[in-house]
Structure formats: structure tokens, C-alpha cells
Amino acid sequence: MASAIKDHTAVEKPKDLPPLLSKKFNITDVKQDALKWNKEWEAAIASSTAADVLKEISHFLDDSFFTPKDIELFHEDLRSVQDRVAEILRSLFNEGHFDTIWLLLNVAEKRRHILEGLKGASEAPTLWGQDCRALCPEVTVSNLLSQGGKGFIDFLTRVLEISESSIKPAFLPNSWWEQASNLPNPWNKFIDECFPLIEHHASHFVLSSALSIVGDITNRSEGMKGVLHIMENTEGYVARSLAQAKSTFRDKPLIRCENCTKTPEDIGQGVRFMVCSVCKTKLNFEVHYCSQSCQKQDWSLHKKACVKKPVSKGLRGTKGDSLWAFGDSDPAVELIRNLGKKEGRGLTSLRDIGVNPCKGKRSPAAERQAEMLEANRNVDYFLFTASGETVRFVIDDPGARMIFRINRGVIMTQTGDTGLDAMGEYMVKLMSGYPGLSRDIILKQLCEEHGADTTKQIVRLERKSRECGKSTFIEGWLKDSSNVFGDWAWLGSL
């Protein structure tokens, strides 16, 4: 995984193309300001069509510019580059858990590696240098960072599939260019000549971004240390589940129309959302609307709070939603979101993670536990001394409380067979020394509630935790996840 990658893909060029598009769009020199350079390119790409690009090309190229020999050289070099790309990607995906490592990286690190890839592709010895960016609308930082970085993984997967194709050179499907195939002459005559340029740029982007990422892994860079710690000190499924959870996180709150709830992406390009100007001016608070019509329709509700206090409907994913960072498909978050709905409350709390109706048949001891937990939701579990005295087990740490209660919900509702060992291990560690309790007393109670093999499951997990140098699975999970998600203290506000 961490082996060095060398680029042996220098191209023999029959001629160079002048910088047409970068000059037209007045793009900043990448060496002067890489962030501004990228921002200007992304704006130029978003505002251009295939027809716009081909028109610019047609001003310079003519039928005699590329000879059949030139095209043959392009294809030979592209085959060589794609073979090298396929070799690298196979190594990354098959040997190094690359997708998990990538998804665990923070957004700033992901952005930096993608930007390094774009810079490397633009500076590579290809015919048209950075102007090839205009031919590759999918290869942008914003696209590749989508879905928590899954956009990048999906792109690399497509590149690998195409690079391993029996057809050489192979071309990535490009919806942006499909419109060009229907253009009238003279523009469509350049399409076949553009595709090798597109693939060269995409391939060099993959090579450069891979070099950047593998270099950080090999050198254990500061931005990579937390991720490597997780990979080296947790079970594989823990790292993968953390990565999957992180890929659903939002980097910033959504903007939704307060009336129709649509986002700018739902409506499409060109829409400009408005805000209530009075709330913005007086309260520095933004309530968004997609149109004057929606603003008028919502006025009967908004006027109750307008100027008086910063209140919105807390629509899902917006700043007013305490769980805005979580994706809509996260089952644990859905569990939290749906709590208390039957009582008419829209906002949720960790204390509301109850046990819910059982999918099967609980033991009498477990049924008693469920009834007591539902009756007092401030308690995380009820333990019993040898004499039958009740001991309330309450977790102060909000992160540990969330993990414990989610596992508790799975076990008590019998919707899964994992989590009992983590719950038991945690309670045994924290409560064995409590007056009237002991390890044996707690294990005996859990066996009565959840089955005779409960002790065996807990002992097995305790052994694994010791081997990994952890106190308990829950405490280890919180420590490792904090390297990715940060402090879980914000859960205390729920």
C-alpha cells in the first residue's frame, strides 16, 4: 500500500497547443494562488458547454493540424498511461484499504490531495496542459468531494474499470460531451481529437493524486496520523463502519426554503434564494425562501417570530436542525430523529432513546428491565444487588451514552445480535466495585435477561479489548472516533 509510485508516462508530443481557454477565462497562475486558480477553473467549467469549448478550439485548429500520425501517437501514449493507472489503482484497492483510509480523512486533507492531483495533471507533459481541465467537467474538487469523498472513490473505480477494458485506448463515458456528438460541422470534427486529451488529463490526475496520498501514508504526515491510528488499532469492521458513517456527514448545513422545504439543488441551476431581510438585519438570522410566492405563503407562520426571536422550522439538514451534519440515510440518526414523535415533539434527546416494543419474546427478566427503563428514561440500565436492591446505572459521557443506548435498543428489541457484549463489558468495568455489586452478580443478571451464553460473549470481547490495549470497546470506539469526528460533547445538547 505504502510503496512508492513513479510516473513513467512522459509523452512524446508532435506539437504543443497554445493556452487558449485559460487565457480566455483569465485563470490565475497556479503557482501564484492554487486555491484561486481552482476556484476560477471550476467557475469557468460550470459556465461553459461542450459547444462553447469546441467553438474556441475551432478558432485555432484546422483539418491539417493533427495528422494521422499525430493521432496514432496520442493513442499509443494514452494506452501506456492507462496501463500504468490500472496497475496503481489495482494496488490501492486490493492491498491497502484505500477507500477506507480516504473516507476517514478530514475534508481539508481530501481537498488538498485532489488539488494536488489537478495541479499535477495541469503541469503534466500533455499537449494542452491546464486547458484540458475545460474538457473534463467531472474532474472538479466539488464533484470529487461529494458524499463525504465517495465521489472520488466512485471516479477512481470508473477509471479502473475503463483502464482494464480490452479496448485500448479506452474512454470514460462523459455526458457533458454527448451533446457535442450532435453538433453541426465544423465543430464535431474535433471531437475525436479531444477525447485523447480528456483521457490524458484524467489519467494524470489519478497518478498525481495517488502520489500525494501514498506519500502522506508512507511518511505518516500530520494529516494522516489520526486515520492510520484507527487503521492500525481497531478491528477492520470498526474502521470501515467509521468510514461509512463519515461519508454520510455534511460539511455545512443545507439551505432549504422555509415554505416548500426544497434546496437549491432540488430546484436547479439559476435559482437565488432570498432571506427575510428584517431578521437578517435586526437579528443576524437567516430564514430562506426560494421565491416571493413561498415567502408570502409562509408569512402567517413566520410573522409570529419575525424580528422578535431567531426561530425557524429547523428543517432537516439546515442550521436549525441539531443533527444537520448527519446524512438522511443514517439508521442511528433516524432512530434519534423519530424519538418522541408520538408525543408530538419534533426535537429529540439522548434520554429518549428507549427500548421500544420487542420484535420477538423477551425473557421475564428482560421484560422487567424494559418496563423499568421505559418508566425512567434518565437511567441507562438497572442493576440489582444480591439482596435485590435496585442500582441505577447512569452514563455521564454523552458519546458513551449514545453508543450504549443504541446497542441497548438493538438488543432489547431483538433486531440484531451484536452489542450485548459491549454493553456488558462496559457495565462490568464501571460497576463491579459498586457496593452490593460484583462482576459475578452483574454477569449472572445479564445471563438471566439475555441468555446463558452472555458471559462467554463478554469475556471474548474483554480479551479482544486487552489485546488491542483498550479499556472497553465503547471507550476505545469513542477515543478512535474522536480522531475523525472530533469531541462528542455536542451530543450533550440533545
Side-chain angles (χ1 to χ4, degrees):
M1 170 65 217
S3 58
I5 299 174
K6 297 180 180 180
D7 185 358
H8 300 297
T9 55
V11 59
E12 178 185 351
K13 299 181 293 183
K15 49 179 74 72
D16 288 323
L17 295 173
L20 298 176
L21 300 174
S22 54
K23 185 175 181 180
K24 170 183 169 60
F25 296 125
N26 194 28
I27 303 295
T28 298
D29 186 339
V30 64
K31 295 179 181 177
Q32 181 181 2
D33 189 335
L35 293 176
K36 186 178 181 182
W37 167 82
N38 179 66
K39 184 177 181 180
E40 290 171 352
W41 262 121
E42 293 212 0
I45 292 168
S47 64
S48 302
T49 66
D52 296 331
V53 173
L54 289 174
K55 286 177 185 178
E56 290 299 319
I57 296 174
S58 68
H59 294 322
F60 177 79
L61 300 180
D62 57 34
D63 291 337
S64 63
F65 190 87
F66 288 120
T67 67
K69 180 63 176 176
D70 292 335
I71 299 297
E72 183 181 347
L73 284 173
F74 295 161
H75 284 202
E76 286 179 1
D77 179 69
L78 184 52
R79 281 194 292 271
S80 174
V81 174
Q82 288 182 333
D83 286 342
R84 180 62 175 148
V85 165
E87 176 188 348
I88 291 171
L89 291 181
R90 279 194 299 269
S91 174
L92 290 177
F93 283 123
N94 296 337
E95 300 174 15
H97 309 290
F98 173 77
D99 50 348
T100 300
I101 290 174
W102 172 258
L103 292 174
L104 286 172
L105 281 174
N106 66 43
V107 176
E109 288 296 301
K110 290 191 185 91
R111 183 180 291 110
R112 182 173 65 82
H113 289 302
I114 292 173
L115 195 56
E116 285 297 318
L118 288 169
K119 288 164 57 181
S122 295
E123 295 170 348
T126 55
L127 286 176
W128 214 4
Q130 68 170 314
D131 275 13
C132 288
R133 282 202 68 175
L135 309 177
C136 304
E138 292 184 339
V139 187
T140 63
V141 175
S142 51
N143 283 343
L144 299 172
L145 284 179
S146 63
Q147 295 181 276
K150 279 186 88 284
F152 181 65
I153 297 297
D154 292 343
F155 176 76
L156 295 188
T157 300
R158 293 201 306 274
V159 169
L160 178 58
E161 291 173 351
I162 292 298
S163 298
E164 292 182 323
S165 168
S166 58
I167 302 172
K168 296 290 184 176
F171 299 105
L172 283 168
N174 192 321
S175 59
W176 194 72
W177 278 100
E178 288 178 1
Q179 58 178 297
S181 61
N182 297 318
L183 291 174
N185 283 327
W187 301 320
N188 64 0
K189 68 184 179 182
F190 302 117
I191 294 173
D192 290 340
E193 296 165 359
C194 286
F195 271 111
L197 299 176
I198 296 171
E199 298 306 323
H200 265 130
H201 186 79
S203 297
H204 281 288
F205 163 73
V206 173
L207 290 171
S208 297
S209 56
L211 282 167
S212 178
I213 297 164
V214 172
D216 271 16
I217 294 172
T218 304
N219 298 319
R220 301 186 72 87
S221 70
E222 194 62 35
M224 190 66 71
K225 284 182 180 177
V227 174
L228 294 181
H229 172 82
I230 291 175
M231 297 298 294
E232 294 164 355
N233 294 281
T234 65
E235 297 284 344
Y237 76 91
V238 175
R240 289 192 297 274
S241 63
L242 283 172
Q244 186 59 40
K246 196 168 190 295
S247 70
T248 67
F249 272 31
R250 296 186 179 96
D251 299 325
K252 57 185 179 181
L254 295 176
I255 292 175
R256 288 189 185 276
C257 175
E258 192 78 356
N259 183 59
C260 70
T261 76
K262 291 181 179 178
T263 67
E265 290 75 18
D266 293 332
I267 297 174
Q269 293 183 350
V271 64
R272 294 187 63 183
F273 273 46
M274 305 178 299
V275 297
C276 174
S277 58
V278 182
C279 285
K280 174 68 175 174
T281 303
K282 301 292 186 180
L283 302 175
N284 193 28
F285 181 72
E286 295 183 353
V287 178
H288 295 91
Y289 295 100
C290 67
S291 65
Q292 287 185 342
S293 174
C294 273
Q295 187 174 22
K296 289 179 180 178
Q297 291 176 33
D298 191 58
W299 175 242
S300 61
L301 295 174
H302 179 59
K303 68 180 180 181
K304 298 175 183 178
C306 188
V307 190
K308 303 179 184 71
K309 51 186 176 181
V311 174
S312 72
K313 295 174 184 174
L315 299 173
R316 178 172 296 203
T318 65
K319 187 182 293 185
D321 170 19
S322 61
L323 300 173
W324 65 261
F326 294 90
D328 295 335
S329 61
D330 190 312
V333 178
E334 282 304 295
L335 171 67
I336 298 175
R337 286 187 188 282
N338 291 327
L339 294 171
K341 280 191 174 180
K342 60 184 179 183
E343 300 165 12
R345 292 181 291 105
L347 191 61
T348 60
S349 167
L350 285 179
R351 72 179 294 279
D352 291 326
I353 302 181
V355 295
N356 298 320
C358 183
K359 302 293 184 181
K361 183 176 177 61
R362 296 188 184 110
S363 68
E367 191 62 42
R368 179 181 64 164
Q369 182 73 230
E371 290 174 358
M372 294 179 70
L373 290 172
E374 284 296 307
N376 190 338
R377 293 200 173 190
N378 290 317
V379 178
D380 296 298
Y381 214 81
F382 287 96
L383 297 172
F384 306 98
T385 66
S387 61
E389 180 183 353
T390 302
V391 177
R392 294 153 48 102
F393 176 56
V394 179
I395 303 172
D396 294 326
D397 183 276
R401 193 176 205 193
M402 180 188 71
I403 300 304
F404 184 92
R405 288 199 171 206
I406 289 174
N407 284 331
R408 187 188 70 180
V410 170
I411 296 304
M412 296 296 288
T413 58
Q414 297 184 6
T415 54
D417 58 0
T418 58
L420 176 59
D421 49 0
M423 287 171 49
E425 178 193 42
Y426 192 63
M427 287 192 290
V428 166
K429 188 237 177 176
L430 295 182
M431 299 299 291
S432 290
Y434 188 88
L437 293 178
S438 68
R439 175 185 176 86
D440 289 340
I441 290 173
I442 295 173
L443 291 176
K444 180 182 178 181
Q445 175 186 327
L446 294 176
C447 286
E448 290 174 352
E449 291 174 342
H450 304 294
D453 66 339
T454 299
T455 296
K456 188 182 298 182
Q457 294 181 45
I458 294 172
V459 170
R460 188 185 304 122
L461 182 60
E462 288 175 327
R463 186 182 304 117
K464 280 188 176 181
S465 296
R466 286 195 300 271
E467 290 172 354
C468 295
K470 303 180 187 305
S471 178
T472 65
F473 174 86
I474 289 179
E475 291 167 311
W477 194 95
L478 288 171
K479 180 181 178 181
D480 292 333
S481 65
S482 67
N483 291 315
V484 178
F485 299 109
D487 192 349
W488 290 93
W490 60 270
L491 284 168
S493 64
L494 294 180

